Amino acid sequence: MTTALASVVASGTAGIAYASLYERNRWTLRRFDVPVLAPGSAPLRILHLSDLHMTAAQRSKQEWVAGLAALQPDLVVDTGDNLAGHDAVPGTLRALEPLLDLPGAFVLASNDYYAPRPKNPLKYFKRDHKRVHGDPLPWRDLRAGLTGRGWLDLTNRSGELVVRGQRISFAGVDDSHLRRDRYDLVAGRADAGADLRIGLAHSPEPRVLDRFAEDGYDLLLCGHTHGGQLRVPFYGALVTNCGIDRDRVRWLHRWAEPAPHRPAGTWLHISAGLGTSPYAPARFACPPEATLLTLTGRAPAPPTAGEPGADPAEGRLETGS
């Protein structure tokens, strides 16, 4: 083996070890401020969780998620893909247990319904590759554990919560990546009398995001993309695994500009997620994340696209072990 080839092999081995042994377990909290409330409103803090892909043995992840209760969020939102095994429901509920005492809302997604299975990674570069589902998972047990503690199931449903005196109107859809979404069941102008209007979708498919925006939702919360999972420095995500563009594959962006029926515009937050498939246990330049969104009062005249507040942000982050 030549010296050059040996160096390439060594670098590749080191990169794989870093991505699979270290970074995928580098639990990280990211923070964003989102100006969506009426001017002068008191801040409201939302903990956004997504894509836990939990297995029964992932005690480190379970303990870290449970510890997020110390942040004292006002609301918890879970945008699906919680499970990664038939025995994962108890561990998932154990991780969420301290958060279930708080107001919460969720939608389900493909990896709540079906077990993961090995895939050719090159399939992710094909938009219309054939999807083969794994065995059914006990998603009803997960749903019962969440709704039994008062969390709203927004899977093709709408709902409402009052959180710290703020009336929040919600709508959500089932996994649009699998085309299980039934937006017509929740369609119509969002409640103009609510203090805040939030839409939930696991996969950020533009056709669904556009309908939420047209109906006047202030904030959309999604997951699914894993932020690209394997990112190339100075280039970004190689794939998004959905219809969203690579530039908005993770974090906070404005999806639609202000309009009379959405005075804050429509903001979109895509969580980079906290897990991976057991068959692709690696992350690179994209650590597993939960997000604390601090919702603040918008300016009397909302910013336009080129003014502060209208551009994508990286947020503030904290890394745990």
Side-chain angles (χ1 to χ4, degrees):
M1 183 181 295
T2 67
T3 301
L5 180 57
S7 298
V8 170
V9 172
S11 297
T13 301
I16 292 171
Y18 170 84
S20 61
L21 299 177
Y22 175 71
E23 183 159 333
R24 75 180 178 95
N25 296 313
R26 186 162 63 95
W27 320 119
T28 299
L29 176 68
R30 194 167 295 275
R31 299 172 184 258
F32 291 100
D33 296 336
V34 195
V36 293
L37 301 177
S41 297
L44 193 70
R45 304 203 308 166
I46 299 178
L47 178 64
H48 182 191
L49 304 174
S50 197
D51 298 85
L52 273 69
H53 293 281
M54 190 72 75
T55 66
Q58 289 178 320
R59 298 306 293 259
S60 172
K61 185 194 297 184
Q62 293 165 24
E63 291 171 3
W64 189 83
V65 171
L68 293 173
L71 297 171
Q72 298 182 314
D74 302 306
L75 172 68
V76 184
V77 172
D78 182 322
T79 47
D81 271 9
N82 294 280
L83 308 179
H86 294 85
D87 58 352
V89 170
T92 302
L93 293 177
R94 182 166 52 246
L96 296 173
E97 167 62 30
L99 298 168
L100 293 175
D101 290 329
L102 302 169
F106 67 94
V107 291
L108 297 175
S110 61
N111 283 274
D112 298 311
Y113 301 125
Y114 304 110
R117 52 182 294 150
K119 294 179 182 178
N120 180 349
L122 295 179
K123 283 187 174 182
Y124 289 104
F125 290 90
K126 297 175 62 177
R127 178 66 59 87
D128 298 319
H129 66 267
K130 181 179 180 181
R131 298 179 181 89
V132 180
H133 299 310
D135 295 333
L137 290 176
W139 62 271
R140 292 178 181 83
D141 295 341
L142 174 66
R143 182 181 64 182
L146 300 179
T147 59
R149 295 289 292 275
W151 280 21
L152 290 180
D153 180 2
L154 297 171
T155 311
N156 289 331
R157 299 179 183 180
S158 57
E160 182 179 295
L161 289 172
V162 176
V163 179
R164 291 190 60 191
Q166 302 263 25
R167 187 163 68 87
I168 305 175
S169 177
F170 295 91
V173 294
D174 205 340
D175 194 337
S176 48
H177 189 59
L178 297 185
R179 294 194 172 273
R180 294 174 63 112
D181 55 294
R182 301 293 181 268
Y183 191 88
D184 286 346
L185 296 177
V186 299
R189 189 57 57 89
D191 186 354
D195 297 297
L196 178 66
R197 293 152 290 276
I198 298 178
L200 275 61
H202 174 68
S203 181
E205 303 293 347
R207 61 182 173 81
V208 174
L209 304 180
D210 285 343
R211 294 197 68 180
F212 276 121
E214 290 166 4
D215 281 344
Y217 286 87
D218 306 301
L219 176 62
L220 308 180
L221 301 177
C222 302
H224 177 72
T225 66
H226 297 190
Q229 189 165 327
L230 302 175
R231 297 177 63 90
V232 176
F234 309 110
Y235 179 79
L238 297 174
V239 297
T240 69
N241 195 29
C242 65
I244 201 74
D245 53 285
R246 289 193 312 105
D247 289 341
R248 289 186 282 194
V249 73
R250 63 177 179 176
W251 301 347
L252 182 68
H253 301 267
R254 176 170 279 165
W255 184 256
E257 294 300 319
H261 65 299
R262 51 170 192 258
T266 298
W267 289 87
L268 168 66
H269 179 259
I270 299 178
S271 170
L274 277 163
T276 67
S277 165
Y279 298 105
R283 281 179 172 256
F284 191 81
C286 190
E289 295 181 355
T291 308
L292 188 67
L293 301 169
T294 299
L295 310 189
T296 62
R298 61 185 182 271
T304 58
E307 294 179 344
D311 296 326
E314 292 191 4
R316 307 179 299 282
L317 63 85
E318 304 166 10
T319 301
S321 57

